[in-house]
């Protein structure tokens, strides 16, 4: 009897160790598995929400700044007042003349183009295909009598590429914000760590048009901030990471004269954080700058994101500050959306923007995050 009891206990212990015994062992394994699955599913949903928030923030910021782009703060105030929501292009809007409320510009359209390429090529960006699609996009804009065309750096670089120049050198003169405005899909598709693969991906997205120290650093700053926020960084942390990646990226590219991106981001973020949000627009206008120059508009967008206390209010501030308003608001929106998720944005405004421009941002984010997951393996 004693022997039977001992044998039975041994048998049960052995089976338990093999995962096949007893009610208690099975229940424990099931509970652990279910808990792990729930945690994984919740994490995946949170990551997708932040990715969608980033792409939605880019599109909303772009649409909010569409009617005010290239206008002065005084003209914006006279034509649009406080700009408390999406508006149609007014009588003094030349670039986006006649565009209805909720329309996006080249910022979103080039980001979508880049996202589609990343998904199609599993995170890679063939330079010739990227250039071809950018040129096709501009031809379509011209056919629509649109003045919303390629920016100066992109246009010059693509012309050099068409003339037979090596893609490795065509972008060396590009020091504007064109690569930074479209880089959000890279931030969604590629983890910011380890550093080298991330910087490689950013450079692939910028090389043919903005392979200067300023243009590449600006793209790395925005892309890294978005990627870090998708992994859970706060706005201040994400912008700080973006500034660090700007320092790293500028060493990879042809030097261009101008205030360095990383130090200017740190300075401007501290400046705005230490002041009343009511003064942010004035500081952007007086000290930071909002032109197409990377060391102005990209710095302005990241500083606004770092100091933001309300994402939608921040985008309105960017859209009213004059200059390259659609791009500043788009980049700030991408970072803030990655931090706070899609709930940061007014659902009705987002619906208008997606419907008006036939955007399926959720599907794009799903595809980009699949690339991101494979990059982690």
């Amino acid at each position: 009897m004693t022997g039977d009891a001992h044998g039975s206990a041994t048998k049960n212990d052995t089976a338990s160790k093999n995962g096949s015994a007893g009610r208690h062992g099975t229940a424990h394994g099931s509970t652990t598995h279910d808990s792990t699955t729930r945690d994984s599913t919740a994490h995946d949903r949170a990551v997708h929400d932040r990715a969608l928030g980033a792409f939605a923030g880019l599109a909303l910021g772009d649409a909010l700044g569409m009617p005010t782009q290239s206008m002065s703060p005084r003209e914006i105030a006279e034509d649009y007042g406080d700009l408390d929501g999406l508006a149609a292009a007014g009588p003094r809007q030349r670039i986006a003349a006649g565009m209805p409320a909720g329309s996006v510009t080249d910022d979103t359209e080039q980001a979508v183009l880049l996202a589609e390429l990343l998904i199609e090529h599993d995170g890679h960006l063939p330079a010739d295909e990227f250039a071809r699609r950018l040129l096709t996009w501009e031809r379509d804009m011209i056919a629509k009598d649109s003045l919303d065309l390629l920016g100066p750096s992109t246009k010059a670089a693509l012309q050099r590429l068409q003339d037979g120049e090596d893609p490795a050198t065509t972008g060396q003169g590009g020091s504007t914000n064109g690569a930074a405005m479209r880089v959000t899909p890279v931030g969604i598709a590629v983890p910011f760590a380890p550093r080298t693969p991330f910087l490689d991906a950013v450079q692939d997205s910028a090389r043919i048009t903005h392979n200067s120290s300023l243009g590449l650093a600006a793209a790395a700053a925005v892309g890294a901030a978005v990627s870090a926020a998708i992994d859970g960084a706060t706005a201040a942390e994400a912008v700080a990471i973006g500034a660090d990646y700007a320092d790293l990226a500028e060493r990879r590219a042809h030097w261009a004269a101008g205030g360095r991106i990383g130090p200017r981001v740190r300075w401007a973020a501290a400046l705005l954080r230490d002041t009343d949000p009511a003064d942010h627009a004035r500081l952007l206008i007086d000290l930071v700058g909002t032109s197409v120059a990377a060391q102005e508009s990209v710095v302005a967008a990241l500083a606004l994101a770092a100091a933001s206390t309300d994402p939608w209010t921040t985008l309105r501030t960017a859209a009213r500050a004059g200059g390259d308003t659609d791009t500043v608001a788009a980049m700030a929106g991408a970072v803030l959306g990655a931090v706070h998720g899609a709930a940061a944005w007014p659902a009705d405004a987002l619906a208008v923007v997606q419907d008006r421009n036939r955007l399926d941002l959720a599907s794009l984010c799903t595809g980009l995050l699949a690339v991101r997951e494979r990059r982690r393996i």
Side-chain angles (χ1 to χ4, degrees):
M1 184 173 167
T2 304
D4 288 345
H6 177 75
S8 175
T10 303
K11 179 179 176 181
N12 285 343
D13 287 347
T14 302
S16 179
K17 289 176 184 176
N18 289 334
S20 58
R23 191 175 55 197
H24 295 295
T26 303
H28 176 72
S30 176
T31 301
T32 301
H33 176 73
D34 290 348
S35 176
T36 301
T37 301
R38 284 196 300 271
D39 289 347
S40 177
T41 301
H43 173 266
D44 291 347
R45 281 200 299 265
V47 169
H48 190 276
D49 180 58
R50 290 195 289 269
L52 179 58
F55 225 140
L58 185 154
L60 276 168
D62 184 15
L64 192 62
M66 172 276 295
T68 64
Q69 60 184 305
S70 298
M71 295 174 65
S72 71
R74 178 183 57 79
E75 290 172 329
I76 293 169
E78 290 173 354
D79 288 5
Y80 305 103
D82 287 338
L83 192 67
D84 56 2
L86 302 172
R92 286 191 276 190
Q93 176 48 244
R94 295 174 297 279
I95 296 174
M99 292 178 71
S103 300
V104 298
T105 75
D106 58 335
D107 302 79
T108 304
E109 290 171 348
Q110 288 190 31
V112 169
L113 182 156
L114 183 57
E116 291 171 345
L117 270 174
L118 284 166
I119 294 167
E120 289 171 24
H121 295 274
D122 198 25
H124 301 287
L125 284 170
D128 56 347
E129 178 63 11
F130 190 22
R132 186 187 68 78
R133 294 201 190 186
L134 286 171
L135 289 168
T136 299
W137 173 82
E138 183 174 55
R139 282 196 292 270
D140 290 344
M141 292 299 101
I142 292 171
K144 298 174 185 176
D145 294 324
S146 172
L147 295 177
D148 187 18
L149 306 175
L150 294 172
S153 292
T154 300
K155 194 172 185 67
L158 292 179
Q159 183 59 57
R160 293 166 69 179
L161 192 67
Q162 288 180 302
D163 292 341
E165 188 171 330
D166 188 337
T169 62
T170 54
Q172 290 183 352
S175 59
T176 55
N177 57 25
M181 79 178 189
R182 67 183 181 231
V183 78
T184 289
V186 176
I188 297 172
V190 185
F192 74 100
R195 288 175 170 178
T196 297
F198 179 81
L199 289 169
D200 288 346
V202 171
Q203 192 159 24
D204 285 347
S205 76
R207 182 178 286 107
I208 60 173
T209 59
H210 292 82
N211 201 24
S212 73
S213 56
L214 293 174
L216 183 59
V222 175
V226 169
S227 188
I230 285 174
D231 276 352
T234 66
E237 291 167 345
V239 170
I241 289 168
D244 290 343
Y245 274 63
D247 294 343
L248 295 169
E250 69 182 6
R251 302 171 194 167
R252 292 170 158 238
H254 182 74
W255 180 81
R260 292 176 56 221
I261 301 297
R264 279 183 57 79
V265 167
R266 297 182 190 97
W267 160 74
L271 175 69
L272 266 59
R273 278 197 299 263
D274 291 341
T275 57
D276 189 322
D279 287 334
H280 286 177
R282 178 184 62 79
L283 292 171
L284 294 185
I285 295 162
D286 292 350
L287 299 177
V288 180
T290 58
S291 75
V292 298
Q295 68 269 33
E296 290 195 359
S297 50
V298 174
V299 172
L302 292 174
L304 281 170
S308 176
T309 56
D310 178 81
W312 185 241
T313 299
T314 298
L315 298 199
R316 291 176 56 223
T317 297
R320 295 196 305 262
D324 201 3
T325 53
D326 56 329
T327 301
V328 175
M331 293 185 294
V335 176
L336 289 170
V339 170
H340 298 288
W345 310 123
D348 54 348
L350 180 56
V352 168
V353 170
Q354 293 209 89
D355 290 346
R356 172 76 64 192
N357 303 283
R358 298 181 181 177
L359 299 174
D360 185 358
L361 300 181
S363 293
L364 286 175
C365 289
T366 297
L368 292 169
L369 289 174
V371 175
R372 188 184 188 96
E373 187 60 29
R374 288 192 290 274
R375 287 269 186 155
R376 290 194 188 278
I377 297 173

